[in-house]
């Protein structure tokens, strides 16, 4: 088979059609890239090109309430800031550290109307027009697969704006508030995306983050998902399909109990199949592989042990690529425990195993 463009390869993977090789789409931590450069990777070449991965082109917009962003405290270890989502956050200076949310301004339904009105107010700079203008012609000429990123659902609400406990209680005690949060986020996201399309930019797919699980269990029951969140997942899938785009859901954690209902939305691809949370690629493939494509599922905790990760790849990749519908990636992202030498072997084996 002739060598396909990235766009051709990825679109055919969504549709379970024949490809030249499985696509390879992943993200690496900033500290990981710095480590590889310190260990010999040229600094003037992107890691994606160096290892022969496909490019992940995603364009997002700003549908936040635009809360005033301020630095409240700063020292040589961290700084404390307020975010555009109204969260007071401690950001550590270590390159790959995770910020700590200290409190949430929009932590209850009483303050929701204030946030809602701010989110529904359009500003031209909510869309990265210069980024699009400067890069879109090159992306199209190079045959890239282009995704619009929408930002809505449980994940952004609990983690960026309201707080996990606050919003989980809201799902049970104030479902009308919870669904209004979902609805407002989705409306603003799709309005911004439509403006991009109306300006003449063409995209191949919609991607959204909505982490709905943690280790061994979802955050909420299938019933809660069906009644409150699923309708909004279906809306974004329908919106994309009406415009000729495919759809991909990213949800970390263990979400297998939700999958029968997620499948009813019509979403085509699931990412990242988080192994440490309990997701099982083999079980997913055997249960849903005729209808759902998969992206990820190679345990990132093994990537610093070359023998173990190669054995895992040799077990998982042939199974997942059978019949099409699989994109190679870690089950989250590539951590800074992965050496340059390991990554060279991992990439080479992925290319070898991924050929059809």
């Amino acid at each position: 088979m002739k060598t396909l463009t990235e766009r051709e390869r990825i679109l055919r993977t969504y549709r379970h059609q024949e490809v030249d090789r499985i696509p390879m789409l992943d993200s690496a931590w900033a500290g990981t890239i710095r480590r590889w450069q310190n260990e010999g990777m040229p600094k003037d070449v992107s890691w994606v090109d160096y290892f022969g991965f496909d490019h992940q082109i995603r364009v997002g917009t700003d549908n936040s309430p635009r809360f005033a962003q301020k630095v409240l405290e700063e020292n040589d270890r961290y700084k404390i800031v307020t975010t555009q989502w109204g969260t007071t956050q401690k950001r550590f200076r270590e390159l790959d550290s995770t910020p700590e949310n200290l409190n949430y301004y929009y932590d209850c339904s009483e303050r929701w109307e204030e946030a809602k009105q701010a989110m529904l107010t359009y500003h031209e700079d909510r869309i990265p027009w210069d980024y699009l203008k400067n890069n879109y012609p090159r992306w199209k000429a190079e045959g890239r697969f282009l995704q619009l990123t929408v930002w809505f659902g449980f994940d952004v609400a609990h983690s960026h704006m309201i707080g996990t406990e606050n919003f989980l209680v809201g799902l049970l005690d104030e479902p009308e508030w919870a669904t209004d949060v979902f609805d407002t986020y989705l409306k603003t996201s799709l309005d911004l995306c439509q403006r991009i399309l109306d300006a003449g930019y063409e995209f191949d797919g919609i991607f959204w983050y909505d982490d709905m699980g943690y280790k061994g269990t979802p955050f909420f029951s299938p019933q809660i998902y069906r009644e409150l969140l699923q309708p909004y997942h279906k809306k974004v899938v329908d919106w994309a399909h009406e415009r000729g785009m495919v759809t991909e859901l990213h949800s970390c954690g263990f979400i297998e109990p939700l999958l029968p209902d997620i499948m009813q939305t019509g979403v085509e691809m699931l990412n990242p199949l988080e192994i440490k949370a309990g997701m099982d690629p083999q079980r997913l493939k055997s249960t849903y592989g005729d209808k759902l494509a998969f992206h990820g599922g190679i345990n990132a905790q093994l990537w610093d042990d070359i023998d173990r990760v190669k054995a895992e790849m040799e077990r998982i990749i042939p199974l997942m690529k059978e019949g099409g519908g699989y994109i190679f990636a870690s089950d989250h992202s590539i951590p800074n425990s992965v050496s340059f030498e390991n990554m060279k072997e991992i990439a080479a084996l992925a290319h070898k195993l991924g050929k059809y």
Side-chain angles (χ1 to χ4, degrees), residues 27-183:
S27 59
W29 297 2
T32 311
I33 297 170
R34 180 176 294 180
R35 174 177 179 170
W36 293 341
Q37 291 172 339
N38 291 337
E39 293 177 356
M41 188 179 78
K43 294 185 178 181
D44 59 348
V45 177
S46 77
W47 76 268
V48 173
D49 291 326
Y50 186 87
F51 294 115
F53 276 59
D54 298 292
H55 293 79
Q56 205 156 245
I57 308 295
R58 292 179 183 148
V59 175
T61 59
D62 175 14
N63 65 340
S64 75
R66 299 199 149 192
F67 192 85
Q69 298 180 67
K70 299 178 181 178
V71 177
L72 304 180
E73 181 184 336
E74 188 170 9
N75 58 39
D76 59 359
R77 178 75 200 287
Y78 62 81
K79 64 179 178 180
I80 297 176
V81 302
T82 55
T83 74
Q84 71 228 57
W85 306 99
T87 302
T88 302
Q89 190 175 80
K90 179 185 281 189
R91 296 177 178 172
F92 299 93
R93 296 194 181 276
E94 288 83 356
L95 199 58
D96 295 323
S97 60
T98 301
E100 177 186 358
N101 290 339
L102 302 177
N103 59 60
Y104 304 86
Y105 176 78
Y106 301 112
D107 60 356
C108 59
S109 58
E110 286 76 14
R111 283 183 169 162
W112 168 241
E113 195 61 33
E114 177 185 343
K116 180 178 178 179
Q117 293 309 310
M119 292 167 68
L120 291 171
T121 301
Y122 176 70
H123 298 279
E124 193 71 7
D125 62 353
R126 287 186 181 274
I127 296 172
W129 292 117
D130 287 343
Y131 178 63
L132 281 164
K133 180 181 177 181
N134 293 335
N135 291 283
Y136 181 82
R138 175 174 54 83
W139 294 335
K140 296 296 284 186
E142 294 172 344
R144 306 303 185 198
F145 175 79
L146 308 182
Q147 287 177 309
L148 284 168
T149 300
V150 292
W151 196 219
F152 77 103
F154 174 76
D155 185 27
V156 61
H158 88 91
S159 66
H160 278 63
M161 189 177 196
I162 296 168
T164 304
E165 182 176 349
N166 299 329
F167 199 61
L168 285 173
V169 171
L171 289 173
L172 295 176
D173 291 351
E174 300 179 88
E176 297 85 0
W177 168 47
T179 54
D180 196 32
V181 171
F182 297 150
D183 187 61

